[in-house]
Amino acid sequence: MSEPLIGILMGSDSDLHVMNEAIGILEEFSIPFEVTVASAHRTPERVAEYAKGARDRGIKVIIAGAGGAAHLAGVVASMTILPVIGVPIDSSPLNGIDALLSTAQMPGGIPVATMAIGRAGAKNAALLAVEILAITDRELYSKLVSYRKAMTEDVEERDRRVKEDVSS
Ligand code: RP5
């Protein structure tokens, strides 16, 4: 497999079932990626090492998913110039609202592109990462156009089926 272009980070292995949505999209678009478990609170040195070394290793975009007091994406963003996409994970008693605010409410100067809570957010994080790569990759751009077209056709098909069900 080629060198990874996207780094997927997650605060715990318990986040994997959500971050699998991102993995699925990157596989669908044949984008090489790597997956790492590192916690901003439990393993801060590991997070720092990862963030500081990512660009030199060829990573173009980092996707960081975490739950609870989710500082992972923000801490990573503070230590790299690479675009960082945050995925708030609904793993706490607050169902991800805590992670959403912790990820989104960054101070001016250190941006984190924050996605929706949970699976949709993980999926969109990967699609946004692909869109960023597609800025300079025409083939990837065409794949994204086809992906959108397929999604439109799928909704139209669902519409047809619902109309049939209702009228029968
Ligand atoms: C966060 O705490 C992780 O990202 C995870 O969502 C949450 C719970 O982690 P575990 O206690 O399951 O390892 O840091």
Side-chain angles (χ1 to χ4, degrees), residues 10-15 38-42 65-72 89-92 99:
M10 59 195 87
S12 170
D13 59 341
S14 65
D15 299 325
S39 161
H41 305 118
R42 293 168 175 161
H71 297 128
L72 185 60
I89 296 190
D90 44 339
S91 58
S92 76

Side-chain angles (χ1 to χ4, degrees), residues 32-84:
F33 62 92
E34 62 181 20
V35 178
T36 304
V37 174
S39 161
H41 305 118
R42 293 168 175 161
T43 62
E45 288 88 3
R46 184 170 158 78
V47 169
E49 195 183 329
Y50 183 91
K52 288 175 185 170
R55 189 169 182 277
D56 286 346
R57 290 187 299 102
I59 297 293
K60 305 287 185 218
V61 182
I62 295 174
I63 297 172
H71 297 128
L72 185 60
V75 166
V76 169
S78 75
M79 289 183 284
T80 180
I81 303 296
L82 293 175
V84 175

Side-chain angles (χ1 to χ4, degrees), residues 58-132:
I59 297 293
K60 305 287 185 218
V61 182
I62 295 174
I63 297 172
H71 297 128
L72 185 60
V75 166
V76 169
S78 75
M79 289 183 284
T80 180
I81 303 296
L82 293 175
V84 175
I85 306 173
V87 181
I89 296 190
D90 44 339
S91 58
S92 76
L94 299 184
N95 296 321
I97 293 293
D98 43 359
L100 174 65
L101 296 178
S102 305
T103 304
Q105 291 300 109
M106 290 295 292
I110 306 293
V112 167
T114 304
M115 302 292 105
I117 298 168
R119 288 177 191 278
K123 182 175 187 174
N124 284 343
L127 285 168
L128 181 57
V130 176
E131 288 179 2
I132 291 169

Side-chain angles (χ1 to χ4, degrees), residues 17-37:
H17 70 287
V18 173
M19 297 310 285
N20 268 334
E21 292 286 335
I23 291 171
I25 291 290
L26 297 180
E27 284 174 345
E28 190 173 337
F29 281 88
S30 304
I31 310 284
F33 62 92
E34 62 181 20
V35 178
T36 304
V37 174

